[in-house]
Structure formats: structure tokens, C-alpha cells
Amino acid sequence: YSFFNGQPRWMRSSPMTLTYAFSPDGMIDYLPQEEIRAVFSRAFGRWSEVIPVNFTEVEDYRTAEIHIGFHNGDHGDGEPFDGVLGVLAHAFSPENGRLHLDAAETWAVDFQTEGSRVAVDLESVATHEIGHVLGLAHSSVSDAIMYPSLRPRSRRVDLRIDDVEGVQALYGSNPNFNYGSLLESDQETFNG
Amino acid sequence: RNFPQPTTVLNFDHSTATTLAAHSSVYNNTPWGGFAKFANLEKGSHFTGICDLKTYFHHFGYLPPPPGNFSDDFDSDLESAIFNYQRNLGLPVTGKLDTDTVDLIMAPRCGMGDDHTRAAVNTTTRHLHTTRH
């Protein structure tokens, strides 16, 4: 795992709660909004399980700390999106809070119903970008969430030891986190 | 079920080549789909369009900006960028555009650079460095 320079992180009193909201002007219409919200709720929840940080969705986009949106091409942050595949998404280091997904992708929440060869798993990308929002940079561990590449029609949503150690170095451990279960799951994946 | 047959001809790995071919068809008409043609090029070669690969490496933090435009030469700077890319992303470190490397370059990815010197904190580029563990 790696950090941004200076190891920026969200500085709030403990227990920390960060709010997030979806851009009213930057959403896709071919997936039900409830499903998109559920995907992000699960993605935030994975990080919450390992660090003492909670995430709450709010309606007011302006006052939220984390801003999520689907955008096309040049969307004003100096990092234009490039159409189908290529760059899928990007996010900003703490405490900026912007998380942008390329609206040109075929975002999928279920590959059984989305048959496109270029479909991209929304939950995998959301989980990765939340890692950036929290302060993690890219990892060289190929099965870690923070590995920068994700192939179409593939799914990578479970935090690995590398991700957990990195984010806990920034925020400490959730007292309810069971490290042994993670090791066990890593072992099962390895054997499987 | 067909399994790739091992071969020793020119150390050519058919299973990897098959993967590259399969992914190349998926990546047709995507931003980096055309990079498949760079597979197996070596340092010292000149190939039209390899400047686009240098732009890619520059974008993700592996090459400094050129004084002018990037050339189409497979030069030492490009080789160094490939070394670092392979090291960063857990590939066999060869410094060559082997099929595994080209296959991963073509794959979709996060827009954040891998050295995070271009981590977007504001709308302007900000120079940062990372600590890797």
C-alpha cells in the first residue's frame, strides 16, 4: 500500500462520520438509483468495517463531505474522461472528497443482467475510489482493492490485507474488526 | 476444452498471446486498444505511434514531460518507464514490451497516476510524493 505525500487523511473528532451525496446533475439513468445507492452503501461499509469511520448518505450535495458523480469528458477538474474503457474513474485525496466516474462506461451491478463485453463492475470501482478519498494511493498487490487496473466483467470488492493495513495506518482499527477472519478469507481465496 | 500447448519457439508464450489477442478484441475502439501493435518491440526500434505510449506513461507518472513532442523511438527513457511500470504493478520486470505488459497497459484503470505526483487535490496539478510500504 502507499499514501499520498504527507499522508493526508480526514481529520474529525472520533468517532468520525463522513457524509456523502450524489450529484443531482451527474447520474446515469439506465441503472435504478436505489441500486447505485446500495452499491455505494456496501462499498463504504467495507471500509467502515476495518476503521473507526462511518459514512452517511445525505441529500444536500453542497454540504456533503464526499461528492459522487458520473461525468462525461471534460467535466471541469482538469482530468477529462476518455470514453469507453481507458480511464474508468478518479478520486481526490483528503480532504477534497470528489469521486468521479466516467459516465461513458457501461456500469454494471450484475453481470448476469448486463451482457456487454465492456461492462464494468460499479461496486469494484466505487470501493477502489473510496480508498483514494480516504487517503490510500495505488498498491502493487494485484488482488488488492487499491491495484489500479480492473478488467471489464471482473469484480474485485473485498478488502485484502494490504488495503486493511494501509487504511488502518491512517485511521486506526475499528474495535469490532476481526483481523483473523480477513486472514482466513485471504487464505481461502488463495487456496480456491 | 482446449489447453494451450507449450512451445519453445522463440520463447513465444502462446497462452499469453492468446490472452492479449482476446483482450485486444474487447479493447477495440477504446483509448489504448491500439497499443497491441507495440507488443514485442524492443529498445532501439522506431515505430510510428509509440509516442502515444509515451504519452500514456507520462500521464500515469512514469515519464517526465518532453521538451517538445514525444518521439516514436523506443529509447532509454521509455525502457526506464517500462521497468518502473512493471515493478509498480507486480509484473515480471523485463523492461520490454512483452505481451503481459502490453495487455495490462491496454486494460482499463483508475485515472490517478501510480506515482501520485499528479494526485488531483485541486483543479491545478499539485506535486506530491508517496510513501510505499
Side-chain angles (χ1 to χ4, degrees):
Chain A
Y1 58 91
S2 65
F3 305 121
F4 302 107
N5 184 44
Q7 301 188 11
R9 71 197 77 184
W10 292 83
M11 305 294 274
R12 298 286 188 280
S13 57
S14 185
M16 190 189 301
T17 297
L18 298 175
T19 57
Y20 66 93
F22 295 91
S23 167
D25 307 320
M27 290 297 277
I28 48 176
D29 56 11
Y30 55 86
L31 288 176
Q33 301 300 300
E34 312 81 65
E35 286 201 40
I36 295 174
R37 287 181 149 77
V39 161
F40 272 89
S41 177
R42 287 196 297 273
F44 278 114
R46 287 195 184 86
W47 292 104
S48 269
E49 284 177 11
V50 303
I51 55 174
V53 179
N54 294 311
F55 300 93
T56 304
E57 184 185 345
V58 294
E59 288 299 318
D60 190 346
Y61 185 71
R62 291 169 306 164
T63 61
E65 287 153 316
I66 300 169
H67 302 96
I68 302 166
F70 295 82
H71 302 288
N72 272 302
D74 186 351
H75 52 286
D77 63 3
E79 297 287 337
F81 285 131
D82 54 6
V84 178
L85 301 185
V87 169
L88 303 173
H90 57 225
F92 293 63
S93 55
E95 300 183 13
N96 180 288
R98 281 182 288 179
L99 190 165
H100 296 163
L101 302 116
D102 188 348
E105 309 302 343
T106 304
W107 294 106
V109 296
D110 178 3
F111 288 133
Q112 290 190 329
T113 56
E114 175 50 73
S116 168
R117 292 199 309 162
V118 294
V120 178
D121 184 53
L122 178 61
E123 195 164 337
S124 302
V125 176
T127 309
H128 175 97
E129 299 303 334
I130 291 168
H132 286 318
V133 168
L134 288 169
L136 288 178
H138 284 152
S139 169
S140 58
V141 178
S142 62
D143 59 359
I145 285 291
M146 295 315 296
Y147 192 73
S149 178
L150 181 76
R151 297 194 187 281
R153 304 196 67 79
S154 66
R155 186 168 162 83
R156 194 171 66 227
V157 297
D158 293 325
L159 302 191
R160 308 314 297 257
I161 293 173
D162 187 70
D163 305 303
V164 173
E165 288 180 342
V167 78
Q168 289 186 340
L170 291 174
Y171 297 94
S173 176
N174 182 331
N176 299 319
F177 171 60
N178 182 350
Y179 202 76
S181 65
L182 182 78
L183 289 168
E184 190 179 337
S185 102
D186 265 3
Q187 191 64 41
E188 284 171 4
T189 304
F190 180 75
N191 290 335
Chain B
R1 202 176 154 192
N2 294 323
F3 291 92
Q5 296 300 309
T7 177
T8 55
V9 180
L10 296 174
N11 265 346
F12 194 76
D13 183 344
H14 277 283
S15 60
T16 309
T18 303
T19 303
L20 181 61
H23 289 156
S24 294
S25 67
V26 174
Y27 300 149
N28 278 345
N29 303 316
T30 66
W32 309 315
F35 290 173
K37 61 179 179 282
F38 302 139
N40 300 315
L41 288 181
E42 295 183 353
K43 183 183 173 185
S45 56
H46 180 93
F47 198 95
T48 301
I50 208 166
C51 58
D52 295 333
L53 181 61
K54 291 181 175 179
T55 302
Y56 173 98
F57 279 125
H58 166 60
H59 184 83
F60 292 110
Y62 293 96
L63 268 179
N69 295 326
F70 283 118
S71 72
D72 281 329
D73 297 325
F74 192 144
D75 50 26
S76 298
D77 287 345
L78 179 57
E79 184 187 47
S80 174
I82 295 167
F83 270 126
N84 287 331
Y85 179 83
Q86 292 168 331
R87 200 173 292 121
N88 255 2
L89 297 196
L91 291 165
V93 180
T94 64
K96 296 176 181 173
L97 285 171
D98 50 64
T99 48
D100 282 346
T101 302
V102 174
D103 185 46
L104 191 59
I105 289 170
M106 291 194 304
R109 56 162 291 156
C110 173
M112 300 282 281
D114 296 338
D115 70 346
H116 305 284
T117 56
R118 284 158 45 82
V121 175
N122 288 308
T123 52
T124 54
T125 301
R126 176 171 164 180
H127 292 277
L128 299 173
H129 302 280
T130 54
T131 307
R132 188 173 291 280
H133 298 263

